[in-house]
Amino acid sequence: MSDRAVALLPDWVVPVCPEGRVLEAHAVVVDRDRIEAVVPADRLEKNFAGIEIQRLRDCVVIPGLINVHPHAAMSLMRGLADDLPLMEWLQRHIWPVEQRWVSPEFVRAGSELAMVEMLAGGTTCFNDLYFFPDVTAATAIRAGMRAVVGLPVINLPTAWAENEDEYFSRGLQVHQELLAEPLVSTAFAPHAPYTVSDPAFERMRELAEEMDVPIHLHLLETRGEIDDSRKQFGKHPLDRLDGLGLLGPRLLAVHMTQLDQGDMDRIARAGVNVAHCPASNLKLASGICPVAELDRRDVNVAIGTDGAASNNTLDMFAEMRLAALLAKGASGDPEAVPAQRALSMATIHAARALGLEEKIGSIEVGKQADLVAVDLSGLETQPVHHVISQLVYACHRGQVSRVWVAGETVFADGRPTRLDPDAISDRVRQWQRRLARTDAEANP
Ligand SMILES: [Zn+2]
């Protein structure tokens, strides 16, 4: 143990593993970047004599929340175009603005905006999918935030790359540059089955195996995607991906709103992970991911917000609550996705989906100290009959009082410790004017 070790002493600790457990009068001992011990408070003196104790009165400490699908930089397009179908929203509003403006500066400004929001809401790690992942990675490192940055692959020319070959070469370079980074790792991020070729998927499958990284893919978001795939490839997207060897535990399939019973059995057998983005699916009227039925089949379902352009927040507390409620309403089963399962989906399930299960996702000895203190003293979360119920059904993100990533405090007293919200706000206002102009020109 180093002399920098501290003992966090909240009223409750929810370690998430085992699911549903609530520890009272326990301390989490953090030594540098890792969790050294979880011990009853009355043993602190004996086992850790002289250790600095940080008393967190009325707080519950939980593992940091993990957003498995935020498109951080798209926060600059929050509210740009709402209440539209997916394809109209993409083709008439999002893509024209992206074509005109996506650049390292755009990604830096959007990612910073997203990171301030995520940290303030108790999110310590996010799994991104966007252009210029090198910039997102650098911004996360600067913010002290953990991230998995997607190496995008799409058969459309963008400011990041001209063609699939170039997407691969640039992506592989980013991967190399990040190999030694403790907080940031990579995943392949093919945009969607309808925008990635068979040879690119095959190459990606081989590389992902070699590099030991996940594959993060939008899949079965809308009914139209299945009809188009039959026309374009003569196959259902799942048949096509299966034939390409993509259906397996490396795959994190985002959305999955169009699943029949046979599809669910198939992805359960294959060990595919699902990123459930309920707010975005509802807002774009894409459909509803059958989470209750996936959960019954032991499919690893994690929660993501999707980008702020289609949510319109990156609020994992809101998303957990919605995931728990929607599963019940959609299945007709009030016991579907209970509060403790929703919390698992935002923590340990997410870590598993990203291949980071040994490192983060729960409060266990040896794991990274990615932690969140949530203050339950407000009357809106009193009385505290059941801590986990409060967290999922009654809490809002404003109750997050302190956030640690790898043992470092990255959010406290209402502010991120490493980012400057005032400067970020100034930059965001400049971007707002530029994007609004482009959007008006594209939609006269
Ligand atoms: Zn998305």
Side-chain angles (χ1 to χ4, degrees), residues 110 129 133 148 232:
L129 193 173
V148 179
Q232 200 182 343

Side-chain angles (χ1 to χ4, degrees), residues 69 71 129 218 221 254-255 306-307:
H69 192 68
H71 303 289
L129 193 173
H218 292 114
E221 182 167 8
V254 184
H255 298 311
D306 212 346

Side-chain angles (χ1 to χ4, degrees), residues 90-245:
L90 273 177
Q91 289 165 357
R92 291 190 50 197
H93 300 276
I94 300 299
W95 287 348
V97 164
E98 288 186 330
Q99 251 160 25
R100 171 70 182 86
W101 291 111
V102 168
S103 60
E105 296 70 34
F106 175 97
V107 171
R108 186 173 307 119
S111 299
E112 282 178 340
L113 174 62
M115 286 178 209
V116 173
E117 179 183 1
M118 287 194 278
L119 288 173
T123 297
T124 54
C125 177
F126 66 103
N127 177 45
D128 211 52
L129 193 173
Y130 208 64
F131 309 104
F132 297 96
D134 53 334
V135 176
T136 309
T139 311
I141 292 164
R142 201 155 40 81
M145 196 169 180
R146 197 179 297 279
V148 179
V149 294
L151 311 174
V153 178
I154 182 167
N155 61 13
L156 296 167
T158 62
W160 174 243
E162 280 296 315
N163 52 47
E164 286 178 336
D165 273 350
E166 197 186 354
Y167 281 100
F168 276 103
S169 59
R170 293 206 74 176
L172 291 174
Q173 195 183 337
V174 172
H175 176 77
Q176 281 301 324
E177 285 164 4
L178 293 172
L179 278 177
E181 277 302 331
L183 290 184
V184 181
S185 58
T186 63
F188 275 109
H191 170 257
Y194 54 91
T195 49
V196 176
S197 72
D198 284 5
F201 271 127
E202 283 177 330
R203 186 173 174 195
M204 189 181 308
R205 189 202 62 225
E206 284 172 19
L207 284 170
E209 208 60 50
E210 262 172 51
M211 293 153 61
D212 193 19
V213 297
I215 298 176
H216 175 190
L217 169 75
H218 292 114
L219 185 58
L220 301 182
E221 182 167 8
T222 62
R223 177 74 229 169
E225 184 183 326
I226 298 176
D227 302 337
D228 291 348
S229 176
R230 287 197 207 283
K231 273 186 226 141
Q232 200 182 343
F233 302 99
K235 286 176 189 162
H236 187 286
L238 287 181
D239 289 329
R240 181 170 162 242
L241 292 172
D242 203 3
L244 294 165

Side-chain angles (χ1 to χ4, degrees), residues 66 68 127 148 187 213-216 248-253 271-275 300-303 345 347-357:
I66 303 171
V68 290
N127 177 45
V148 179
V213 297
I215 298 176
H216 175 190
R250 278 194 196 286
L251 183 63
L252 174 57
V272 171
N273 304 280
V274 170
N300 185 51
V301 179
I303 295 174
M345 288 176 175
T347 52
I348 191 66
H349 287 207
R352 194 175 300 145
L354 302 177
L356 296 174
E357 195 184 0

